[in-house]
Amino acid sequence: MTASPATAAQAQAATTRAADPESPPRPGATLALTSAATAVALMTYTTPIVTLPATAAALHTPLSAQAWLLNGTPLGLAALLLVAGSLADDYGRRRIFVLGTLALGVTTALGALATGTWLFTLARIAQGAASAALLASSLGLIVHAFPTAAGRLRATGVWGAFVTGGIAVGPLLAAGIPHWRAVYGVLGAAAVVIALLGTRALTESRSPRGGRPDFAGASTFGLALVSLVAALTLGRDGWLRAPVWLLLGAAVVLLAGFALVERRTATPMIDLSLLRHRSFLASSVGGLFTGLSVIGLFSFLPAVFQRVLGMSAMDTALLTLLWAGLAFVVALQARRLAGRVPTRAQLAIAFALHAVGVITMVGALDAGSTTRFVPGMLIAGVGSGLLNAALPLLAVESVPAARAAMGSGAQQTLRYIGSCAGVSLTIAVATSSSGGPARGTDIAMVVSAVLALVAAVAVLALRERP
């Protein structure tokens, strides 16, 4: 979706009027702090990927509940990203960013002190909620600080690269620090430092619409996502059980209620008319299938490396770095594709590369070979880098500039809903095979590849009509 010149001008004027005239945007500081906070949020997100065995042992977490240790943070993210995006646009992007980053520091430290599975899971959910605030507001701050198309292209590329950078460094940090609790202490301290710097280095911007906050929409949407994610997480132990169906039913009813609320309120969390625009749908589909296919599989593989191949946490992190590290480099360089490859086509190529990379890894576990994973990790890493560069750009391109945080929140909400579903689906597929964990993981990789190819076709089909 492309805003008309008049709409874009009005949006930019609204944002400019809302900003402090004494404090013009500081592009360099804005990009540095939002990227650093995003990296810390993703490092917090990915830490359990390599510490899961040690964390589960320390918390006495049974196998049936270990999916919660992974899905706690994406649950908080999915439930509050859209809410946070709307609040940031209406009440101040810097305010929401600083509060979210500070809250991430506090809740991450609380995770280090947890003594049981459910206390740790609650801390992880709170970390996700805090991360939602800083992630959704980050792109709004960047759009305000980089008003030109060229500047925005470069800035969103850097920000997307730090998404992957956090994914790459998180497992390494977790493997390099002797105790998993100390990892959360370090990350919590880093978040607090960034929050304090943000109070001085960032300038405020907002695009207020007037009216009251959409509390009814926020409540129904948040409860719907909690029900949906809980159903997806519990479903891995049996999809035909009554609690799973009750939660799925509750999610459907609550989402229907959310749609009714959004149609009637003067200041909706999300403008439902955006669903008629194919660019917004392409951004949403891209986010959803990134979670389903990419995050779901790569959140599961490190645990498999340790349990099936007997790899150490550090060796697992280094192998995963082949994927995430290359993705970081590719995301930084992806801006060179601007003007040559449309953003939607870049997404399709990225999903196709992920599918190719994953298929090359099929059979590696059964062969007991870590080197068999290397080519696939590299190919999938290129695909992930292209994804992380294209998705934030498409998210802000598909909505008016004044609603950039809302657009970011919508796309990332679907990304983390997808990741919850992807983790649950991957675990369910991998553990249901009678051929053992190696055979089950092969099937899960094939499913991931098929989902990526479906996403590639979908984003190409969602072209704006002339």
Side-chain angles (χ1 to χ4, degrees), residues 355-450:
V356 172
V358 167
I359 289 298
T360 65
M361 294 190 288
V362 172
L365 279 174
D366 197 43
S369 171
T370 57
T371 56
R372 278 276 308 275
F373 282 99
V374 172
M377 286 283 188
L378 294 176
I379 296 170
V382 174
S384 293
L386 293 175
L387 275 176
N388 285 329
L391 279 172
L393 182 61
L394 188 59
V396 299
E397 284 180 341
S398 63
V399 297
R403 311 310 300 168
M406 184 205 71
S408 170
Q411 181 248 98
Q412 292 186 80
T413 294
L414 288 167
R415 179 184 180 122
Y416 291 107
I417 291 174
S419 76
C420 289
V423 168
S424 297
L425 175 64
T426 302
I427 292 175
V429 169
T431 57
S432 62
S433 172
S434 59
R439 176 62 177 165
T441 302
D442 282 348
I443 297 173
M445 288 193 283
V446 171
V447 170
S448 175
V450 170

Side-chain angles (χ1 to χ4, degrees), residues 168 172 196 198 241 378 412:
L172 281 176
L196 294 176
R241 295 184 302 145
L378 294 176
Q412 292 186 80

Side-chain angles (χ1 to χ4, degrees), residues 235-250:
R236 67 173 297 271
D237 294 322
W239 293 100
L240 299 180
R241 295 184 302 145
V244 175
W245 285 101
L246 287 173
L247 286 166
L248 288 174

Side-chain angles (χ1 to χ4, degrees), residues 8 29 53 77 89 92 94 109 187 206 232 235 250 263 293 345 355 376 380 392 398 411:
L77 278 162
D89 285 332
R94 181 183 70 174
L187 292 173
R206 61 179 68 86
L232 293 172
R263 289 182 181 278
S293 177
S398 63
Q411 181 248 98

Side-chain angles (χ1 to χ4, degrees), residues 46-58 69 120 170-171 173-175 177 179-181 183-184 302 306 313:
T46 56
T47 290
I49 289 177
V50 296
T51 63
L52 183 60
T55 304
L69 302 183
F120 182 79
L173 180 70
I177 294 178
H179 201 286
W180 65 269
R181 293 185 186 275
V183 181
Y184 291 102
Q306 293 181 64

Side-chain angles (χ1 to χ4, degrees), residues 161-444:
F162 272 83
V163 170
T164 311
I167 294 172
V169 175
L172 281 176
L173 180 70
I177 294 178
H179 201 286
W180 65 269
R181 293 185 186 275
V183 181
Y184 291 102
V186 171
L187 292 173
V192 170
V193 170
I194 294 170
L196 294 176
L197 292 174
T199 60
R200 299 180 62 85
L202 297 176
T203 56
E204 188 60 282
S205 69
R206 61 179 68 86
S207 301
R209 296 172 292 176
R212 297 179 179 179
D214 184 14
F215 291 123
S219 300
T220 52
F221 188 74
L223 289 173
L225 291 187
V226 169
S227 299
L228 176 60
V229 172
L232 293 172
T233 304
L234 293 174
R236 67 173 297 271
D237 294 322
W239 293 100
L240 299 180
R241 295 184 302 145
V244 175
W245 285 101
L246 287 173
L247 286 166
L248 288 174
V252 171
V253 171
L254 287 164
L255 285 174
F258 171 71
L260 289 175
V261 169
E262 296 306 278
R263 289 182 181 278
R264 295 180 179 180
T265 185
T267 54
M269 280 201 313
I270 183 169
D271 182 358
L272 295 180
S273 67
L274 289 171
L275 297 175
R276 296 195 295 266
H277 297 277
R278 292 190 167 200
S279 291
F280 183 78
L281 289 176
S283 170
S284 300
V285 167
L288 177 65
F289 277 85
T290 295
L292 275 172
S293 177
V294 181
I295 300 176
L297 180 65
F298 279 97
S299 294
F300 175 73
L301 283 180
V304 173
F305 294 154
Q306 293 181 64
R307 290 173 178 166
V308 177
L309 298 179
M311 296 174 63
S312 67
M314 179 57 74
D315 288 341
T316 299
L318 290 173
L319 182 57
T320 306
L321 183 62
L322 291 176
W323 163 66
L326 185 58
F328 174 76
V329 174
V330 170
L332 282 177
Q333 299 301 317
R335 67 181 184 275
R336 302 180 188 278
L337 297 175
R340 302 176 185 176
V341 180
T343 308
R344 196 178 289 101
Q346 183 177 322
L347 278 180
I349 293 169
F351 279 119
L353 287 171
H354 172 79
V356 172
V358 167
I359 289 298
T360 65
M361 294 190 288
V362 172
L365 279 174
D366 197 43
S369 171
T370 57
T371 56
R372 278 276 308 275
F373 282 99
V374 172
M377 286 283 188
L378 294 176
I379 296 170
V382 174
S384 293
L386 293 175
L387 275 176
N388 285 329
L391 279 172
L393 182 61
L394 188 59
V396 299
E397 284 180 341
S398 63
V399 297
R403 311 310 300 168
M406 184 205 71
S408 170
Q411 181 248 98
Q412 292 186 80
T413 294
L414 288 167
R415 179 184 180 122
Y416 291 107
I417 291 174
S419 76
C420 289
V423 168
S424 297
L425 175 64
T426 302
I427 292 175
V429 169
T431 57
S432 62
S433 172
S434 59
R439 176 62 177 165
T441 302
D442 282 348
I443 297 173

